[in-house]
Amino acid sequence: MHWFGAPEYWLAREVFQRGLAVIYLVAFVGAARQFRALLGEHGMLPIPRYLARASFRQSPSLFHLHYSDRFFAALAWTGAALSLALAAGAGDRVPLWAAMLLWLLAWILYLSIVNVGQTWYSFGWESLLLETGFLAVFLGNDRTAPPVLVLWLARWLLFRVEFGAGLIKLRGDPCWRDLTCLYYHHETQPMPGPLSWLFHHLPKPLHRVEVAANHIAQLVVPFALFTPQPVASVAAAVVIVTQLWLVLSGNFAWLNWLTIVLACTAIDAHSAAAVLPLPAAPALADPPLWFTVVTCAFAALVVVLSYWPARNLLSGRQLMNASFNRYHLVNTYGAFGRIERKRWELVIEGTRDHHVTAETRWREYEFKGKPGDPHRLPRQWAPYHLRLDWLMWFAAISPAYARPWLAPLLRRLLTNDRDTLKLLRHNPFPDRPPTHVRVRNYRYRFSSRAELRSEHLWWHRVPAGDLVPPISLSALGR
């Protein structure tokens, strides 16, 4: 089966699988640490309530067999332990069939979480992780040469990620066409990072160059992934560099890192050896017949399922980050078809006053990642995903995003719910809960260089009214 294996991609598979396992690890640990307040039996959007109205066919998940918070924690930490083992090379220390089962188990465990995660798991990188994770099942281990078909499927996935993102921009906000989107993006993106202030203050001509370069990287370079080497490796390197640029400029969970490990699958060892000192290539056997048959069947399935995302790419009404099946296989991707021109932030405050007056002193809850205190430098959290912080950004744009979970969040703050407070950076009422809370809307902008020097401000903010006026626990209902 010399036509089936591609031993020159041994390093690509090694980097891809180890990197993917680390991303799985981050995802499972994040799920284990955040689920009780978000999805637990007494969470804001309880999984048992969701399971009561959703069938297994609608949302395939192991939790249809049984749900308890203890079982969720066990599943998530099992996924984390499995991911850690795969990152350490466990897949290479077992037979081929066992390695496939390990990767398949990681996929099943994470699919089970995503399919009951509701709003908290509605991000495109969840589908991307699942689709990428399913590819890993069929890449084999170091006992066989990487299958050519799966390497091409990885490029097809990378193409959809990059080209889909480029098309959604070109078809969307006019600022992408007039090259001005980065005048606003670094300031208004969901969760700025520690260097976002610096990126925002780059000269505007450089911002225009960045946008033009982005169009080339996402609309032209992806086609070169399907060309012979070393051109495909150069195209993959361009993708990696642009993704690292995004890592430096913001917090997008594991989206950028997952795109990077996908790009590594297009780089052959000969091209990598031109810039890196590599050991001698290992001797890899041809894959067994049963593995070839199973992999060809999987490739045929991907070809069939590709009809819907391919049609979406050609459509003038392109969907962004959509799955066409409940197993999140062969999805469509895209990001930032629309850029916000102003940054709005929701700030939650509380008081212990029994009667709210104009003199009431309000204390602010501080979130871990999203902007709050104007003197606080934004932190780097990616690839870790702070789900509540991200949804607060969406809620500031449109309160409809917060309708299912905002009242439950406020109710839990009014009782000092321990699991909810773990999602926050600072609770201003550590001894006993507040009597009232409110949600204020603020207009945020990055400080100027002068404001940063003189007042040590990273942000400047102006109040813009209340989204939720002062409210008590009795008014919210228990």
Side-chain angles (χ1 to χ4, degrees), residues 2 52 81 85 117 124-125 140 151-152 164 216 241 250 254 256 292 312 323 326 328 357 387 403 414 459 461 471:
H2 292 290
W125 47 74
L151 292 170
W152 281 103
I216 295 172
V241 169
W254 51 78
N256 308 122
T292 301
N312 182 66
S323 296
R326 296 296 182 179
H328 298 267
T357 67
R387 299 184 182 278
R403 191 173 293 122
L414 285 164
W459 295 99
R461 69 181 187 183
I471 193 168

Side-chain angles (χ1 to χ4, degrees), residues 111-130:
L111 177 73
S112 295
I113 293 173
V114 170
N115 277 347
V116 297
Q118 305 165 77
T119 303
W120 307 111
Y121 280 78
S122 60
F123 300 89
W125 47 74
E126 313 293 357
S127 295
L128 182 58
L129 178 53
L130 287 169

Side-chain angles (χ1 to χ4, degrees), residues 152-447:
W152 281 103
L153 294 180
R155 296 190 199 189
W156 168 230
L157 172 53
L158 180 60
F159 177 88
R160 280 181 280 124
V161 171
E162 289 291 283
F163 193 63
L167 281 182
I168 205 76
K169 293 179 177 68
L170 204 62
R171 290 167 168 165
D173 201 313
C175 70
W176 288 114
R177 295 188 291 276
D178 64 22
L179 309 183
T180 61
C181 272
L182 292 189
Y183 292 1
Y184 321 100
H185 168 70
H186 297 301
E187 181 178 76
T188 63
Q189 64 181 304
M191 196 182 301
L195 297 179
S196 298
W197 182 95
L198 181 62
F199 276 81
H200 176 70
H201 286 291
L202 291 174
K204 286 188 175 181
L206 183 54
H207 283 319
R208 297 172 69 89
V209 171
E210 286 181 88
V211 177
N214 179 82
H215 290 330
I216 295 172
Q218 293 190 323
L219 294 170
V220 178
V221 170
F223 288 94
L225 293 168
F226 303 105
T227 60
Q229 297 292 1
V231 178
S233 291
V234 172
V238 171
V239 172
I240 291 171
V241 169
T242 57
Q243 292 300 316
L244 289 173
W245 186 264
L246 294 173
V247 167
L248 291 174
S249 65
N251 283 289
F252 301 102
W254 51 78
L255 173 62
N256 308 122
W257 291 109
L258 199 47
T259 306
I260 287 169
V261 298
L262 274 170
C264 289
T265 63
I267 301 176
D268 68 332
H270 179 75
S271 299
V275 293
L276 296 172
L278 297 182
L284 298 173
D286 289 331
L289 179 61
W290 68 264
F291 180 70
T292 301
V293 172
V294 170
T295 302
C296 287
F298 166 63
L301 175 65
V302 172
V303 170
V304 173
L305 295 179
S306 293
Y307 168 76
W308 289 274
R311 186 179 67 172
N312 182 66
L313 285 175
L314 299 174
S315 171
R317 297 184 178 181
Q318 180 188 356
L319 298 175
M320 181 172 64
N321 294 325
S323 296
F324 301 99
N325 55 79
R326 296 296 182 179
Y327 296 94
H328 298 267
L329 299 179
V330 198
N331 313 291
T332 188
Y333 303 98
F336 294 108
R338 175 177 158 226
I339 296 294
E340 300 298 320
R341 303 310 196 263
K342 296 179 180 180
R343 182 177 198 92
W344 304 99
E345 283 290 344
L346 298 180
V347 175
I348 302 178
E349 300 173 333
T351 182
R352 287 206 184 106
D353 290 1
H354 290 284
H355 301 286
V356 176
T357 67
E359 279 70 45
T360 292
R361 182 190 173 199
W362 293 92
R363 299 179 184 177
E364 185 175 327
Y365 288 90
E366 189 74 22
F367 286 73
K368 292 181 178 179
K370 86 176 198 66
D373 179 1
H375 293 88
R376 184 166 169 254
L377 173 69
R379 300 295 195 265
Q380 183 66 39
W381 282 94
Y384 193 79
H385 186 193
L386 296 171
R387 299 184 182 278
L388 178 59
D389 294 60
W390 265 79
L391 264 293
M392 289 292 288
W393 178 80
F394 283 106
I397 295 173
S398 172
Y401 285 107
R403 191 173 293 122
W405 52 266
L406 184 57
L409 169 62
L410 299 180
R411 188 180 301 117
R412 282 155 179 75
L413 295 180
L414 285 164
T415 59
N416 264 7
D417 177 71
R418 182 179 63 179
D419 293 323
T420 302
L421 294 174
K422 287 180 181 177
L423 301 178
L424 305 180
R425 179 174 181 264
H426 172 65
N427 172 26
F429 306 98
D431 302 323
R432 54 190 174 92
T435 57
H436 295 79
V437 292
R438 68 180 182 181
V439 183
R440 307 210 74 195
N441 199 8
Y442 281 86
R443 161 81 163 95
Y444 271 64
R445 65 165 175 81
F446 270 134
S447 63

